[in-house]
Amino acid sequence: QVQLVESGGGLVQAGGSLRLSCAASGSIFRINAMDWHRQVPGKQRELVAEITSAGNTYYADSVKGRFTISRDSAKNTVYLQMNSLKPEDTAVYYCRIVVVTTTTRDLAVWGQGTLVTVSS
């Protein structure tokens, strides 16, 4: 019913930049939140950045000052601009939206994940 398609991952050198995109499609009445998470082998998935329906943003301490989350509400798309990338940022990045549909409130939908690899 609701799907997310991620793009923008790849291989970059330390200090470089990438921009991740996540586009939502389907029967969406309202988006309550959009956020980005990342996961590396052997570690728990962690929240990287979030933007609420009111436009408030939140960032993990490890990415503050380097990453920026933004959205295009008309296109139901969320972006993650990643600058000054470090090898520690290497992970699979997942977008998530919390939506209201005709049948469900506060439904969390996950994207397929996109791999970001930062070389030293």
Side-chain angles (χ1 to χ4, degrees), residues 38-46 62 88-91 94:
R38 66 186 181 186
Q39 188 169 28
V40 298
K43 294 187 64 178
Q44 183 177 339
R45 186 174 299 183
E46 65 172 338
S62 59
E88 305 93 277
D89 296 318
T90 295
Y94 299 89

Side-chain angles (χ1 to χ4, degrees), residues 3-9 19-24 35-38 45 77-78 80 91-97 109-116:
Q3 288 186 309
L4 306 181
V5 178
E6 301 181 32
S7 62
R19 189 195 193 204
L20 306 183
S21 299
C22 179
D35 44 56
W36 289 93
H37 303 245
R38 66 186 181 186
R45 186 174 299 183
T77 300
V78 62
L80 186 67
V92 177
Y93 285 72
Y94 299 89
C95 65
R96 186 190 75 149
I97 62 169
V109 183
W110 292 88
Q112 82 279 8
T114 184
L115 177 63
V116 172

Side-chain angles (χ1 to χ4, degrees), residues 33-36 47-52 56-59 69 96:
M34 310 177 84
D35 44 56
W36 289 93
L47 175 66
V48 174
E50 180 179 69
I51 185 166
T52 70
N56 299 315
T57 58
Y58 304 88
Y59 297 95
I69 188 171
R96 186 190 75 149

Side-chain angles (χ1 to χ4, degrees), residues 67-87:
F67 291 10
T68 303
I69 188 171
S70 62
R71 68 184 178 190
D72 185 334
S73 297
K75 297 168 62 176
N76 285 337
T77 300
V78 62
Y79 306 94
L80 186 67
Q81 179 67 46
M82 305 184 295
N83 298 325
S84 301
L85 283 162
K86 305 175 181 179

